[in-house]
Amino acid sequence: MTYTLGLLTQIADGLSRQFGPDCEVVIHDLKKHDMEHSIVYITNGHITNRQVGDGPSKVVLETLHNKDAASLKDHLGYLTRSANGRILKSSTFYIHNEEGDAIDYILAINFDITLMKAFSGALGALIGCGDAGATEPEPITKNIGDLLDDLFRECEQEVG
């Protein structure tokens, strides 16, 4: 299957549109053998402050340096940090040539989850019970009759 730069840019634009301005999508062209200037297309470059003509991230460089191209597998859903401190959920897709022995392109997705991580922590603190140890919410009843009904339902669930 032949992958063209046009198809990859179409995918990059679609991903950026789908996930919005917090999703950076980068295409590296490795056929040129110019690692310092491998980025040929980028959307939402404000996420990492990179642009066309820049090179790959440290993670990608180390991976390419330490592994044989034919054995490289996509690296999905890992955390990275941008130079300005943003926390990113990243995925790197190695697009091999038809023979499978070289990598022609890299498609990288970097999704800024900084605000989501902060919100997750705040939400956990808000809804957490600390050392209370309760894993299931206790029902609040209006009267003894409702309390007995709840207890009978619990007994039926445990037995049944």
Side-chain angles (χ1 to χ4, degrees):
M1 178 182 290
T2 302
Y3 293 95
T4 64
L5 186 56
L7 174 62
L8 292 173
T9 58
Q10 179 183 0
I11 292 169
D13 288 339
L15 289 168
S16 292
R17 185 76 183 259
Q18 174 71 28
F19 296 107
D22 290 334
C23 182
E24 175 188 81
V25 183
V26 183
I27 300 171
H28 298 271
D29 185 346
L30 301 186
K31 294 186 304 180
K32 296 178 181 180
H33 304 292
D34 183 7
M35 290 303 287
E36 288 186 37
H37 305 96
S38 64
I39 296 177
V40 294
Y41 193 78
I42 189 167
T43 63
N44 295 322
H46 64 277
I47 301 293
T48 60
N49 292 321
R50 293 187 297 171
Q51 59 189 354
V52 170
D54 287 344
S57 67
K58 178 182 176 190
V59 171
V60 170
L61 280 173
E62 287 176 353
T63 301
L64 291 172
H65 180 72
N66 294 326
K67 299 223 178 180
D68 176 42
S71 68
L72 277 177
K73 302 275 189 255
D74 298 339
H75 192 190
L76 309 175
Y78 59 98
L79 294 180
T80 55
R81 184 179 305 275
S82 69
N84 61 359
R86 308 303 287 178
I87 300 169
L88 310 175
K89 183 176 181 182
S90 300
S91 289
T92 305
F93 300 88
Y94 298 100
I95 312 298
H96 292 83
N97 65 9
E98 287 189 25
E99 293 78 31
D101 59 355
I103 298 170
D104 285 349
Y105 297 100
I106 293 174
L107 176 73
I109 302 169
N110 300 303
F111 193 84
D112 186 349
I113 61 169
T114 306
L115 292 176
M116 288 183 229
K117 294 279 283 179
F119 182 72
S120 174
L123 186 59
L126 180 63
I127 66 172
C129 294
D131 292 337
T135 58
E136 287 294 318
E138 293 292 330
I140 296 177
T141 57
K142 295 187 285 185
N143 55 49
I144 297 292
D146 288 345
L147 176 59
L148 290 173
D149 288 343
D150 288 341
L151 290 173
F152 283 127
R153 271 194 293 276
E154 285 180 28
C155 286
E156 288 174 347
Q157 289 174 353
E158 288 179 17
V159 173

